[in-house]
Amino acid sequence: MHHLYLSLGTNLGNKQKNLLEAIKRIEKSVGTVLRQSAFICTAPVDFVSEHDFLNAAILVETELTPLECLHITQQIEREMGRTRKSAGGIHFDRIIDIDILLYDDISMNTPELTIPHPKMHERDFVMIPLSEIM
């Protein structure tokens, strides 16, 4: 079994419901959620929006590989209504964002996935929930 740390964020619609729905879907298709942080409200980072974010972090026990986890979490984002990903430093409001932060103690850097998440230490909205469950 592997330990996977995920960051979740939403700034559209019923934010608490969005996070709970994403966690439920992760539990169904990725693995058992062992720990869940409190939900914290944060201002948007790297773009301007009138919608604040609700963020959380979870620890999941999984048998899947990192890339399998990535593909499933991206599918969950699409199923929940996220139509475009941030790219090239351009960010958008989003119904759900799921980022892989850590996977066991491995490091990987591919065009598709970098672990640990390269910007996690710069982001309080990631580090505050993450430190709560580590």
Side-chain angles (χ1 to χ4, degrees), residues 6-94:
L6 298 174
S7 173
L8 296 90
T10 175
N11 77 328
L12 293 175
N14 183 329
K15 299 170 199 173
Q16 183 168 335
K17 182 179 175 212
N18 293 345
L19 291 183
L20 292 172
E21 178 65 23
I23 291 167
K24 184 173 84 174
R25 289 174 185 236
I26 289 164
E27 180 117 56
K28 182 178 178 187
S29 35
V30 178
T32 303
V33 175
L34 300 178
R35 290 187 212 135
Q36 174 186 318
S37 74
F39 296 170
I40 64 166
C41 187
T42 62
V45 173
D46 295 333
F47 76 110
V48 175
S49 173
E50 62 189 44
H51 308 288
D52 284 342
F53 275 84
L54 200 61
N55 296 93
I58 58 174
L59 168 60
V60 181
E61 189 173 63
T62 186
E63 294 181 4
L64 303 176
T65 68
L67 283 176
E68 288 171 330
C69 293
L70 175 68
H71 296 150
I72 290 170
T73 56
Q74 288 177 336
Q75 179 63 33
I76 291 169
E77 289 177 336
R78 286 190 295 274
E79 288 171 357
M80 288 184 63
R82 183 161 186 194
T83 55
R84 55 186 181 174
K85 293 288 280 181
S86 301
I90 299 180
H91 302 277
F92 307 98
D93 290 326
R94 59 207 77 149

